[in-house]
Amino acid sequence: MDSRMEIAIAGVTWKNPVTTASGTFGSGREYGEWIDLNRLGAITVKGVSEEAWKGNPVPRLAETQSGLLNSIGLQNAGAKHFIENDIPFLRQYDTKIIVNICGHTLSQYCAVAERFAGCDIDMLELNISCPNVEEGGLSFGTDPHVVERVVKAVRHYVKQPLIVKLSPEVTDITEVARAAVSGGADALSLINTLRGMKIDIHKRRPILASKIGGYSGPGIMPVALRMVYEVCHSVDVPVIGMGGISTFEDALQFIMAGAQAVAVGTANFHNPYATVEIIDGIRKYMKENRISSLEEIRGCID
Amino acid sequence: MSTYCTAAVINHEEIIPGVWKIELSAPEIAKTARPGQFIQLYPPDERNLLARPLSLSSISKESVTVVYRVVGQGTKQFSCLQVDDMVRVMGPLGNGFTLPDAGTQNVIVGGGLGIPPLLELAKRFHENTVVLLGYRDDPFMAEDFQRLGLEVHIASQSGNYGFHGTVLDLLENLTLPAGMIFACGPRQMLQSVSMWAKGHNVPIQVSLEERMACGLGACLGCGVKIQKPGEQDWRYLRVCKDGPVFSGEEVVWNG
């Protein structure tokens, strides 16, 4: 393995800076039929709640130009099922495990965090930015004071390094970022989806059963990149950049904006090899440009 | 094993206005494909991110064929593909139909664009098979079933062709007791046929459709409410990975 690609986030070393965006990769099982999961720096799994969640009604998907709207609603089988089935599966691979947790209430967030405290996982990602659940999710992630309070409360139960995932649906992303760090975040990840909509003019109704969903894909990348850039310049914790990354060129832009690592999301849906192609592309770029460590280019944009 | 590859267009024709049949050179996909499985076909313009899930209508040694209706930007792009053009494709995906024991009296029930996905299945049956095809108006691909030497009955809602009515009427008129029903078509039709099957105590396999993103089971976009025997409540299963073929009795049709 090529040590030049190694990065560290909150004391956890990844073999390369590429992980998966929560909700786009399940727990890796399905993609394991397509790619070697050992290649990934880390696998960030789909959101896990304390109890099983059924998710939102269908249709849950709508395609837009250069993007995708989704309203899955964090369907998952609950923490017990995840701990019994998915952790043993993921531990077969030489990659870091990042568990994304979600809840409808503060006590549910704390309960699921506590559930994972004794588990063999590497990092925890706190989802306070999902637009597709009525309670919890986004409503916890837009007010800096609430963010700080929620992170502080959950932090108390967390035993692994804690990543807080931020929503772009705010006026000043740096304010929320600082609040999360002040609450105890060891790292930040951003951005989650933007809320969007699509209407079928023939049926005169929204495509999504939930009317509004989360917008992701290449269309949001400029917004994501700008926000990652701003956050990297305003906090001292490492940042995992995401939002529309589909190629290694996209990933390098986030690293140059200051991101320690990147996550590949929607691109997995239209190219199951996206993650490994991005890893290979970064390596090739480093070689061609005689870069011996990503530190040489990280945050090179003032 | 599924493959993600670039395939050449071998044949492409508009079989009735707005409905196209496309044959792709894809030996890797054809090698393992089974009736009832589907492929993900990618629109050539990459601004349309997602592939379109299309059930296989024919599988040959070197190629697979699907039939689609032009409904939006993606399918419109497909309709412009010429012979020898290359197109990205992933497959075969999904579970496919479970073939019955020999000697079972099979009833194949297809409605509209749900008819092509049943052709490859029909090819695997040589006898003991009745095919019921329902159309809104003019038929298409009926001759492909007739050519197999199977008993084919046709209904059209307009009365323009065959029996004036629906496939449900054809089912009611069946003279033989059905042993297993295989159905594909509009959701309303599948629900009616499943209700009929339940009432007559006949096992039924239905092939469902839903909007998909990944097509391989990860995104959970294509949920269908399923309640298996002995389960307290329904849950969303994935049309792409757990289906697209489900037992009609296990689908929660209302809601």
Side-chain angles (χ1 to χ4, degrees):
Chain A
M1 197 40 72
D2 190 344
S3 65
R4 289 177 306 176
M5 299 271 287
E6 269 184 15
I7 59 128
I9 296 182
V12 180
T13 302
W14 303 7
K15 64 176 77 168
N16 64 58
V18 177
T19 185
T20 55
S22 180
T24 66
F25 208 73
S27 289
R29 211 176 243 111
E30 294 79 17
Y31 282 94
E33 296 174 21
W34 295 86
I35 61 169
D36 178 4
L37 299 178
N38 294 300
R39 298 281 319 275
L40 302 177
I43 293 176
T44 308
V45 305
K46 182 164 176 63
V48 184
S49 49
E50 191 193 8
E51 303 293 337
W53 285 3
K54 280 180 180 291
N56 289 338
V58 295
R60 292 172 166 183
L61 298 166
E63 189 189 58
T64 68
Q65 285 281 296
S66 300
L68 168 68
L69 292 167
N70 89 80
S71 171
I72 312 296
L74 293 171
Q75 179 185 332
N76 78 96
K80 182 172 183 287
H81 184 271
F82 181 89
I83 290 165
E84 287 171 2
N85 295 279
D86 295 41
I87 295 177
F89 169 79
L90 287 162
R91 267 296 170 241
Q92 301 172 81
Y93 299 94
D94 177 22
T95 185
K96 301 301 176 191
I97 304 172
I98 303 175
V99 176
N100 180 288
I101 56 167
C102 53
H104 288 312
T105 62
L106 185 54
S107 66
Q108 285 182 8
Y109 274 106
C110 292
V112 70
E114 192 174 18
R115 211 50 191 271
F116 282 106
C119 287
D120 179 22
I121 61 169
D122 297 293
M123 306 182 90
L124 212 62
E125 183 178 59
L126 180 64
N127 181 359
I128 49 167
S129 45
C130 179
N132 292 326
V133 289
E134 279 176 23
E135 295 161 65
L138 188 58
S139 60
F140 283 1
T142 48
D143 179 334
H145 301 291
V146 177
V147 169
E148 184 172 349
R149 197 160 53 82
V150 170
V151 174
K152 192 172 270 172
V154 176
R155 169 85 267 180
H156 179 73
Y157 296 95
V158 174
K159 293 284 178 283
Q160 297 85 5
L162 178 66
I163 304 162
V164 176
K165 186 166 180 178
L166 305 183
S167 168
E169 304 252 323
V170 292
T171 310
D172 182 357
I173 189 79
T174 64
E175 218 185 339
V176 183
R178 281 191 295 267
V181 172
S182 159
D186 299 303
L188 299 175
S189 58
L190 63 146
I191 59 173
N192 205 319
T193 55
L194 291 142
R195 282 179 300 166
M197 206 173 173
K198 185 174 181 178
I199 293 170
D200 181 331
I201 59 164
H202 304 292
K203 293 178 182 160
R204 301 185 189 180
R205 61 173 191 235
I207 305 266
L208 297 175
S210 309
K211 296 181 188 162
I212 290 169
Y215 175 41
S216 65
I220 70 166
M221 199 185 108
V223 178
L225 187 62
R226 183 265 299 176
M227 289 190 162
V228 165
Y229 170 78
E230 287 179 340
V231 168
C232 289
H233 282 76
S234 64
V235 296
D236 290 328
V237 301
V239 168
I240 304 169
M242 67 191 77
I245 296 173
S246 309
T247 65
F248 80 90
E249 290 97 332
D250 297 342
L252 285 168
Q253 289 190 59
F254 278 83
I255 290 167
M256 289 184 184
Q260 189 78 0
V262 295
V264 180
T266 301
N268 292 306
F269 296 158
H270 56 92
N271 175 9
Y273 304 109
T275 47
V276 290
E277 286 176 6
I278 288 168
I279 293 165
D280 290 340
I282 294 172
R283 176 176 292 119
K284 187 158 173 274
Y285 176 89
M286 290 174 75
K287 196 175 173 196
E288 284 169 1
N289 292 277
R290 298 171 200 278
I291 294 166
S292 57
S293 159
L294 286 171
E295 285 306 319
E296 294 174 33
I297 54 166
R298 179 172 294 111
C300 67
I301 310 300
D302 292 336
Chain B
M1 191 60 204
S2 308
T3 318
Y4 174 90
C5 60
T6 307
V9 177
I10 302 174
N11 280 303
H12 197 189
E13 58 167 322
E14 191 171 20
I15 54 176
I16 58 165
V19 176
W20 294 72
K21 180 159 87 171
I22 188 166
E23 183 179 5
L24 303 168
S25 171
E28 287 298 310
I29 294 175
K31 198 159 65 186
T32 60
R34 299 186 306 273
Q37 288 190 299
F38 69 98
I39 56 169
Q40 285 268 68
L41 193 62
Y42 291 78
D45 182 344
E46 293 188 7
R47 281 174 297 183
N48 289 101
L49 292 185
L50 302 179
R52 300 320 192 239
L54 298 166
S55 278
L56 299 170
S57 76
S58 299
I59 305 162
S60 71
K61 194 160 178 286
E62 302 276 317
S63 73
V64 293
T65 301
V66 293
V67 174
Y68 63 91
R69 189 199 296 277
V70 175
V71 288
Q73 290 176 9
T75 45
K76 191 173 176 190
Q77 289 175 42
F78 294 155
S79 69
C80 299
L81 288 168
Q82 307 284 323
V83 169
D84 291 336
D85 280 354
M86 303 299 284
V87 62
R88 282 188 303 143
V89 60
M90 181 161 80
L93 299 165
N95 58 357
F97 290 105
T98 305
L99 296 182
D101 299 331
T104 304
Q105 178 60 50
N106 305 307
V107 180
I108 291 178
V109 184
L113 260 288
I115 289 169
L118 295 163
L119 180 60
E120 185 61 35
L121 179 73
K123 285 185 189 170
R124 312 287 167 111
F125 298 151
H126 303 291
E127 51 194 8
N128 303 330
T129 301
V130 180
V131 181
L132 311 179
L133 304 178
Y135 300 91
R136 193 170 295 152
D137 207 342
D138 292 328
F140 58 91
M141 288 181 79
E143 68 280 9
D144 294 299
F145 288 87
Q146 284 157 341
R147 214 173 288 140
L148 300 173
L150 304 173
E151 183 184 335
V152 179
H153 299 276
I154 297 171
S156 64
Q157 284 171 297
S158 65
N160 270 2
Y161 195 90
F163 181 84
H164 189 178
T166 66
V167 288
L168 206 64
D169 300 318
L170 298 178
L171 259 179
E172 292 288 359
N173 295 340
L174 270 186
T175 49
L176 288 164
M180 172 79 82
I181 297 174
F182 303 86
C184 187
R187 189 179 168 92
Q188 195 66 50
M189 181 205 102
L190 294 178
Q191 177 172 359
S192 314
V193 174
S194 293
M195 293 302 120
W196 187 94
K198 193 176 179 184
H200 291 75
N201 208 18
V202 181
I204 175 168
Q205 299 181 39
V206 295
S207 174
L208 301 182
E209 183 173 54
E210 189 50 67
R211 286 168 176 267
M212 294 180 188
C214 68
L216 44 88
C219 75
L220 308 189
C222 58
V224 53
K225 289 180 181 175
I226 297 289
Q227 185 167 6
K228 300 212 177 226
E231 287 179 352
Q232 296 295 310
D233 196 4
W234 60 266
R235 62 201 162 108
Y236 277 115
L237 292 188
R238 304 161 297 181
V239 172
C240 68
K241 188 79 174 180
D242 304 306
V245 179
F246 293 90
S247 162
E249 303 105 87
E250 295 174 0
V251 177
V252 178
W253 295 102
N254 298 309

